Amino acid sequence: MTDLSPAPAAPAALWCDRCGESVAAGPHPACEAARAWEPPRWCASCRRRMKVQVVPAGWSAVCVEHGERRG
């Protein structure tokens, strides 16, 4: 029998993926502006610093706990 339950949802972002500070502390206008040009540096779920690689075709950021993101 196949399990048809939905996949678990990604955890809600608790931390800013650029500066690493709490998103509950308020808006991060400088971080929002920088996201257009820079990859994330911090995992938004666990606040771990991510390993980031930038190449001409894009970027990849890896959290040891939550895996890889690409852009």
Side-chain angles (χ1 to χ4, degrees):
M1 182 171 238
T2 305
D3 181 14
L4 299 177
S5 60
L14 301 173
W15 309 101
C16 175
D17 62 1
R18 181 171 177 266
C19 68
E21 297 301 319
S22 173
V23 295
H28 294 243
C31 296
E32 290 174 20
R35 278 189 194 98
W37 302 102
E38 297 180 14
R41 303 293 177 175
W42 298 88
C43 179
S45 300
C46 67
R47 200 181 188 190
R48 283 185 170 91
R49 187 84 164 146
M50 294 195 292
K51 178 181 80 171
V52 178
Q53 182 175 17
V54 179
V55 295
W59 55 264
S60 67
V62 180
C63 171
V64 296
E65 187 70 26
H66 297 100
E68 184 176 39
R69 293 176 55 191
R70 291 183 175 267

